Amino acid sequence: MRFSLFLLGCLFLTGCGGHPVAEVTGKVTYLNQPLEFGKIYFVPVDSSLPPAQGDIEQGVYTLETRGDRKAPIAGVYTGEYRVWISCYPYHQPGWSGNPMIEHDSLIPEKYESVNESGLTATVGRGKNQIDFALEKDASR
């Protein structure tokens, strides 16, 4: 039994293909104010790793990895990531409207595209504090 627990612990700490799992938290601001609510997504550059996501509440987020597993993993595999963020009224906790009705984004739409956001992150071992400061899109 102890050996089984040891192996389970080793798998959790080393993660996918030898990539350790690290804690990732951070702050998201828009126009120098905490983003009240939204979603944040980390898409790995290494396509063998699963993406991670988190809810933004009062400008703060914590990531978890879902991958192809049924239960999420608290944390993110170490490596390089492209990041995108979305913020719609239906992301607000307690929102009771219809998410199927089209809503405008509350932040510039470029941040919703992994290819256009310009946001990246490097996740290292241990605890990671990765903050993002979103600005108004000057091209619109």
Side-chain angles (χ1 to χ4, degrees):
M1 178 70 168
R2 287 184 188 171
F3 185 70
S4 296
L5 291 174
F6 174 76
L7 284 178
L8 183 61
C10 288
L11 286 173
F12 177 75
L13 291 174
T14 59
C16 262
H19 287 267
V21 174
E23 181 181 331
V24 177
T25 60
K27 296 178 183 175
V28 179
T29 58
Y30 177 56
L31 301 176
N32 298 316
Q33 298 296 315
L35 190 63
E36 289 185 40
F37 53 86
K39 303 278 186 184
I40 186 166
Y41 304 89
F42 276 45
V43 178
V45 172
D46 178 349
S47 63
S48 71
L49 297 176
Q53 66 183 43
D55 292 328
I56 301 167
E57 295 179 8
Q58 303 303 315
V60 177
Y61 73 90
T62 299
L63 294 179
E64 63 182 21
T65 300
R66 293 190 186 267
D68 58 358
R69 298 183 176 128
K70 292 183 180 179
I73 298 169
V76 180
Y77 294 107
T78 58
E80 301 293 323
Y81 288 83
R82 295 179 300 158
V83 178
W84 64 281
I85 297 171
S86 64
C87 181
Y88 286 91
Y90 50 82
H91 291 147
Q92 186 172 2
W95 190 75
S96 61
N98 184 349
M100 300 309 289
I101 296 173
E102 188 172 332
H103 295 276
D104 291 332
S105 177
L106 302 175
I107 59 174
E109 290 181 10
K110 76 174 188 173
Y111 292 117
E112 294 179 17
S113 169
V114 72
N115 296 319
E116 295 177 22
S117 73
L119 304 174
T120 61
T122 301
V123 175
R125 293 178 182 259
K127 293 183 178 184
N128 294 260
Q129 170 81 30
I130 303 174
D131 299 335
F132 297 98
L134 310 183
E135 299 296 330
K136 188 172 183 177
D137 190 357
S139 65
R140 294 180 189 233

